[in-house]
Amino acid sequence: MSQENTSSIIVVGKLGAPYGIKGWLKVHSFTDDPQGIFDFSPWLIGQQGKWQTLEVVDWRRHNKGFIAKFAQVNDRDEAMAYTHAEISMDAAQLPELPQGEFYWRDLIGMSVVTDKGYNLGIVDDLMETGSNDVLVVKANNKDAFGQAERLIPFLTDSVIKEVKHDAREITVDWDPGF
């Protein structure tokens, strides 16, 4: 199956080398809970911009990672064709989050405005630090404080005051000079 609209596709892992002779492949998971990648099936497997659906029929832990068996892959030669392919899923397969929780991808592109009304810019990226997540905010071209980028800790209550999904805006308690 070929997928034309790839805007809602999220890469969640990568296939590694074949394992054994019966079509198993090593799996590298990018999900927070590594074995959570197996909660989604079928997988969209991407190679050279082309997407194909593969159904995981079995999986297990192997050393520090995982191996998986697909319905359509029955020997080592067939498995070789999928080595290093991206494992993806449609965003619609993501579970609903509890109120007040967000997927990082939902925050990208949102405006960030101080509680006093100053527009700090747009969320360009997020970073994971040891203690908390950090919004990477690309400042507006004519930022009054001369900032090109701001790093704002994603601390609910103290810094992040409100995330308005529909308005695509995050209200923060933050000094625009930083």
Side-chain angles (χ1 to χ4, degrees), residues 144-157:
F145 296 87
Q147 301 289 331
E149 181 179 87
R150 290 180 175 86
L151 302 178
I152 301 175
F154 197 89
L155 299 170
T156 50
D157 300 330

Side-chain angles (χ1 to χ4, degrees), residues 19 24 33-36 38 59-68:
Y19 177 80
W24 289 72
D33 170 17
Q35 83 179 41
F38 297 104
W59 67 273
R60 63 178 175 251
R61 288 189 172 282
H62 178 69
N63 294 332
K64 292 182 179 171
F66 301 97
I67 56 175

Side-chain angles (χ1 to χ4, degrees), residues 78-93:
E78 289 176 14
M80 284 291 285
Y82 296 102
T83 301
H84 305 304
E86 290 182 330
I87 302 167
S88 304
M89 57 180 265
D90 191 301
Q93 290 176 276

Side-chain angles (χ1 to χ4, degrees), residues 107 109-123 135 137-140 143 150 152 158-164 167-176:
L107 302 176
M110 283 192 175
S111 295
V112 181
V113 180
T114 69
D115 51 2
K116 301 194 178 34
Y118 185 81
N119 188 325
L120 297 172
I122 303 285
V123 178
L135 295 173
V137 179
K138 188 175 188 324
N140 300 310
D143 186 79
R150 290 180 175 86
I152 301 175
S158 61
V159 176
I160 306 297
K161 294 301 176 188
E162 187 178 10
V163 177
K164 300 176 200 152
R168 305 273 308 136
E169 184 178 279
I170 302 169
T171 304
V172 297
D173 179 1
W174 194 253
D175 180 344

Side-chain angles (χ1 to χ4, degrees), residues 2-172:
S2 171
Q3 294 286 327
E4 296 304 316
N5 179 10
T6 58
S7 63
S8 65
I9 290 177
I10 300 165
V11 176
V12 293
K14 191 171 188 173
L15 291 173
Y19 177 80
I21 60 170
K22 295 184 178 171
W24 289 72
L25 282 145
K26 292 179 182 173
V27 174
H28 305 285
S29 175
F30 302 158
T31 55
D32 276 350
D33 170 17
Q35 83 179 41
I37 194 170
F38 297 104
D39 293 344
F40 310 104
S41 186
W43 287 352
L44 290 172
I45 304 299
Q47 294 174 300
Q48 287 97 39
K50 299 209 184 302
W51 297 91
Q52 177 182 359
T53 302
L54 288 183
E55 183 185 348
V56 178
V57 291
D58 198 5
W59 67 273
R60 63 178 175 251
R61 288 189 172 282
H62 178 69
N63 294 332
K64 292 182 179 171
F66 301 97
I67 56 175
K69 173 77 176 82
F70 301 99
Q72 303 90 324
V73 182
N74 297 305
D75 63 40
R76 189 176 182 85
D77 290 341
E78 289 176 14
M80 284 291 285
Y82 296 102
T83 301
H84 305 304
E86 290 182 330
I87 302 167
S88 304
M89 57 180 265
D90 191 301
Q93 290 176 276
L94 290 171
E96 286 288 317
L97 291 176
Q99 186 68 34
E101 289 188 24
F102 316 96
Y103 287 111
W104 275 15
R105 64 182 193 85
D106 295 338
L107 302 176
I108 304 283
M110 283 192 175
S111 295
V112 181
V113 180
T114 69
D115 51 2
K116 301 194 178 34
Y118 185 81
N119 188 325
L120 297 172
I122 303 285
V123 178
D124 190 46
D125 199 3
L126 286 105
M127 295 187 320
E128 207 172 343
T129 66
S131 54
N132 56 271
D133 297 333
V134 174
L135 295 173
V136 179
V137 179
K138 188 175 188 324
N140 300 310
N141 287 340
K142 295 184 172 122
D143 186 79
F145 296 87
Q147 301 289 331
E149 181 179 87
R150 290 180 175 86
L151 302 178
I152 301 175
F154 197 89
L155 299 170
T156 50
D157 300 330
S158 61
V159 176
I160 306 297
K161 294 301 176 188
E162 187 178 10
V163 177
K164 300 176 200 152
H165 267 288
D166 295 339
R168 305 273 308 136
E169 184 178 279
I170 302 169
T171 304
V172 297

